[in-house]
Amino acid sequence: MMASQQNSSQISEEQIKLLERLSNACAVSGDEGEVRKIVLNEVKPHADEVKVDALGNVLVTKHGSGEHLLRVMLAAHMDEVGLMLTHDDGDGIYRFDVVGSLSANDLAGKAVWIGREHIPGVIGLKPLHLGHGDDRKKPIDIEELHVDVGPARGKEKVGDRATFATTFMQLGPSVRGKALDNRLGVATLIELVKHAPPNIDLQAAFTVQEEIGSRGARVAAFAFNPDLAIILDSTPAYDLPAWDADENVRYNTRLGAGPAIYVSDAGTLSDPRLIRYLIQTAEADKIPYQLRQPGGGGTDAAVIHRQREGIPSVSVSVPGRYHHSPASIARISDWQHTLTLLADALSHLTPDVLAAER
Ligand SMILES: [Zn+2]
């Protein structure tokens, strides 16, 4: 039996505060500086090497003790979906492009923070009162929307990113915030760097530009050239009680059921040895877990597993509801169990895992 290191540990007040700072920070793809700064501050005292690469990834190495240790890459993306101001129409009105996948339905009427100074604004739409006939039934076209900072104070400019102006809160056993996809993964990875076990060389990549096609992870995996990779993300839970009465075949993960281990998604077939190893670890240490339902979506694993000569990869997510919208909800217990599963799995990892049959 494997001994559990953190099985009884709870998410601390300090860890919630860190998640709060990460969730409230603005880091739309390509402008991840605010999250990068928090990450650097947290990991520097605990790392052997810290580097910011050409694209803005934070690459952290923590060596184990001994020779011929497994090089284990852990990746968590720092960026979030959002907007980019593209044209100044005057009077505080800006046209914008969407960065990453966001639906127009989630945009109209929402408060936003713009640029590095979090300038408040709103996403405007033609008032319903002025609509004609079937206008009210028409789906919203992103082209009809604009950002209004009412009026300009000269601090915002074309090229600035904007995010939903949602302040983080703890709601009983849950947390609510924007960008919990993937600040939950970032917070988890910070913790794993702080408590890196001695049996592996830990290579932590806090990646950029995942939401627009995992551009940062591609170069991070090349640089690290690891033996295997575990990708930490947050995946949508579609587990509403309306479908709970019967067998729910529509959820892909559920809140409260523990970390979601990926078997496959739109971009990756996870390495079967790593899936098996994570399940064995969870079962031996009595950590709840769930298998994410196959289907759409993807993580940085999509590019990492195809790097160099192929890198065995698996993704593990904290499930969350309403990702890529103004506010997500996740359970603190799922975060805690994800952290425990990964800490336990890493601390017992040996080259045997990859020598096993597929
Ligand atoms: Zn994500």
Side-chain angles (χ1 to χ4, degrees):
M1 291 286 280
M2 297 181 185
S4 170
Q5 284 199 321
Q6 303 194 0
N7 218 355
S8 55
S9 75
Q10 299 286 322
I11 294 293
S12 66
E13 200 54 42
E14 204 181 326
Q15 286 168 318
I16 298 272
K17 287 270 173 252
L18 174 61
L19 181 63
E20 173 170 16
R21 282 193 288 134
L22 288 166
S23 175
N24 289 344
C26 297
V28 177
S29 310
D31 192 22
E32 294 89 352
E34 199 175 334
V35 167
R36 183 164 45 238
K37 199 166 157 194
I38 298 172
V39 168
L40 287 170
N41 275 335
E42 294 291 324
V43 299
K44 265 186 179 158
H46 305 275
D48 294 318
E49 292 157 43
V50 179
K51 174 180 164 181
V52 178
D53 75 6
L55 295 193
N57 295 307
V58 179
L59 304 181
V60 181
T61 308
K62 181 88 186 274
H63 295 292
S65 46
E67 282 172 20
H68 310 299
L69 299 179
L70 272 181
R71 293 192 310 280
V72 179
M73 175 176 180
L74 300 177
H77 73 86
M78 296 188 287
D79 62 316
E80 68 193 278
V81 295
L83 315 178
M84 185 199 277
L85 305 188
T86 55
H87 193 268
D88 182 351
D89 280 344
D91 200 31
I93 308 280
Y94 288 83
R95 277 178 252 165
F96 64 86
D97 269 348
V98 165
V99 181
S101 88
L102 262 175
S103 152
N105 298 323
D106 285 327
L107 297 177
K110 302 304 189 302
V112 289
W113 289 321
I114 299 142
R116 294 178 179 179
E117 295 184 59
H118 297 200
I119 296 158
V122 64
I123 302 170
L125 175 68
K126 181 180 173 185
L128 205 55
H129 322 61
L130 307 181
H132 301 287
D134 279 348
D135 274 8
R136 286 167 188 244
K137 293 184 200 148
K138 262 190 352 201
I140 298 167
D141 181 354
I142 281 189
E143 298 289 314
E144 299 171 62
L145 302 172
H146 55 268
V147 167
D148 191 335
V149 299
R153 273 151 291 165
K155 286 186 168 175
E156 75 291 337
K157 60 189 180 306
V158 167
D160 278 355
R161 309 301 200 279
T163 58
F164 296 111
T166 306
T167 306
F168 179 93
M169 288 180 98
Q170 187 174 338
L171 306 174
S174 301
V175 287
R176 185 207 75 179
K178 71 166 186 67
L180 293 182
D181 168 15
N182 180 35
R183 303 300 149 67
L184 280 163
V186 170
T188 305
L189 186 47
I190 287 172
E191 215 53 49
L192 293 170
V193 168
K194 288 182 179 175
H195 302 102
N199 55 305
I200 56 168
D201 284 332
L202 189 79
Q203 303 173 311
F206 297 86
T207 65
V208 296
Q209 301 183 31
E210 189 265 357
E211 297 288 3
I212 51 171
S214 292
R215 300 175 192 182
R218 185 184 299 265
V219 300
F222 181 89
F224 274 148
N225 189 18
D227 294 313
L228 65 95
I230 303 175
I231 291 79
L232 316 181
D233 211 322
S234 185
T235 194
Y238 187 50
D239 61 340
L240 304 179
W243 295 286
D244 227 24
D246 244 322
E247 195 195 358
N248 178 354
V249 292
R250 302 178 68 175
Y251 68 89
N252 75 340
T253 61
R254 298 197 236 209
L255 298 198
I261 301 169
Y262 288 51
V263 176
S264 78
D265 62 26
T268 312
L269 296 170
S270 297
D271 187 281
R273 296 163 297 186
L274 298 181
I275 298 171
R276 215 158 49 224
Y277 177 67
L278 289 175
I279 290 174
Q280 281 165 1
T281 304
E283 286 180 353
D285 292 351
K286 301 194 167 34
I287 304 163
Y289 71 95
Q290 56 189 316
L291 295 178
R292 180 188 184 274
Q293 305 289 304
T299 70
D300 274 341
V303 300
I304 293 172
H305 83 286
R306 287 185 268 191
Q307 188 51 271
R308 290 184 177 258
E309 295 165 46
I311 297 168
S313 301
V314 66
S315 299
V316 179
S317 270
V318 181
R321 289 185 191 144
Y322 324 120
H323 285 339
H324 295 211
S325 85
S328 301
I329 288 199
R331 295 274 191 273
I332 297 167
S333 64
D334 287 331
W335 179 23
Q336 178 201 324
H337 291 131
T338 302
L339 188 52
T340 308
L341 173 62
L342 292 164
D344 286 6
L346 292 177
S347 66
H348 297 95
L349 200 50
T350 66
D352 291 351
V353 171
L354 294 180
E357 287 227 25
R358 284 164 184 275

mmCIF file of all heavy atoms in Angstrom, residues 77 181-182 210-211 233-234, ligand 1:
data_model
loop_
_atom_site.group_PDB
_atom_site.id
_atom_site.type_symbol
_atom_site.label_atom_id
_atom_site.label_comp_id
_atom_site.label_asym_id
_atom_site.label_seq_id
_atom_site.Cartn_x
_atom_site.Cartn_y
_atom_site.Cartn_z
ATOM 1 N N HIS A 77 -1.990 25.919 -17.546
ATOM 2 C CA HIS A 77 -2.026 27.180 -18.315
ATOM 3 C C HIS A 77 -2.463 28.353 -17.449
ATOM 4 O O HIS A 77 -3.374 28.238 -16.632
ATOM 5 C CB HIS A 77 -2.859 27.049 -19.595
ATOM 6 C CG HIS A 77 -4.349 26.968 -19.433
ATOM 7 N ND1 HIS A 77 -5.149 28.079 -19.344
ATOM 8 C CD2 HIS A 77 -5.197 25.900 -19.390
ATOM 9 C CE1 HIS A 77 -6.426 27.706 -19.262
ATOM 10 N NE2 HIS A 77 -6.479 26.391 -19.276
ATOM 11 N N ASP A 181 -10.947 28.152 -14.527
ATOM 12 C CA ASP A 181 -10.231 27.492 -15.625
ATOM 13 C C ASP A 181 -9.178 28.491 -16.089
ATOM 14 O O ASP A 181 -9.503 29.409 -16.819
ATOM 15 C CB ASP A 181 -11.214 27.126 -16.740
ATOM 16 C CG ASP A 181 -10.529 26.715 -18.029
ATOM 17 O OD1 ASP A 181 -9.322 26.431 -17.996
ATOM 18 O OD2 ASP A 181 -11.205 26.678 -19.073
ATOM 19 N N ASN A 182 -7.983 28.496 -15.661
ATOM 20 C CA ASN A 182 -7.337 27.379 -15.043
ATOM 21 C C ASN A 182 -6.531 27.821 -13.824
ATOM 22 O O ASN A 182 -5.478 27.305 -13.546
ATOM 23 C CB ASN A 182 -6.427 26.676 -16.064
ATOM 24 C CG ASN A 182 -5.728 25.486 -15.480
ATOM 25 O OD1 ASN A 182 -6.275 24.789 -14.651
ATOM 26 N ND2 ASN A 182 -4.480 25.286 -15.861
ATOM 27 N N GLU A 210 -2.906 28.939 -23.933
ATOM 28 C CA GLU A 210 -3.579 27.630 -24.105
ATOM 29 C C GLU A 210 -4.917 27.801 -24.793
ATOM 30 O O GLU A 210 -5.317 26.994 -25.635
ATOM 31 C CB GLU A 210 -3.782 26.959 -22.739
ATOM 32 C CG GLU A 210 -4.283 25.506 -22.820
ATOM 33 C CD GLU A 210 -5.798 25.340 -22.704
ATOM 34 O OE1 GLU A 210 -6.526 26.345 -22.502
ATOM 35 O OE2 GLU A 210 -6.274 24.209 -22.846
ATOM 36 N N GLU A 211 -5.628 28.867 -24.408
ATOM 37 C CA GLU A 211 -7.007 29.040 -24.881
ATOM 38 C C GLU A 211 -7.077 29.379 -26.368
ATOM 39 O O GLU A 211 -8.157 29.423 -26.948
ATOM 40 C CB GLU A 211 -7.720 30.131 -24.051
ATOM 41 C CG GLU A 211 -7.865 29.795 -22.561
ATOM 42 C CD GLU A 211 -8.885 28.698 -22.285
ATOM 43 O OE1 GLU A 211 -9.458 28.150 -23.241
ATOM 44 O OE2 GLU A 211 -9.100 28.381 -21.100
ATOM 45 N N ASP A 233 -5.584 20.951 -15.361
ATOM 46 C CA ASP A 233 -6.514 21.931 -15.923
ATOM 47 C C ASP A 233 -7.801 21.901 -15.108
ATOM 48 O O ASP A 233 -7.870 21.235 -14.076
ATOM 49 C CB ASP A 233 -6.764 21.612 -17.404
ATOM 50 C CG ASP A 233 -7.046 22.862 -18.238
ATOM 51 O OD1 ASP A 233 -7.738 23.769 -17.715
ATOM 52 O OD2 ASP A 233 -6.591 22.931 -19.384
ATOM 53 N N SER A 234 -8.790 22.637 -15.583
ATOM 54 C CA SER A 234 -10.108 22.568 -14.960
ATOM 55 C C SER A 234 -11.108 22.326 -16.075
ATOM 56 O O SER A 234 -11.128 23.058 -17.065
ATOM 57 C CB SER A 234 -10.414 23.862 -14.215
ATOM 58 O OG SER A 234 -11.641 23.724 -13.540
HETATM 59 ZN ZN ZN B 1 -8.367 25.339 -19.311
#
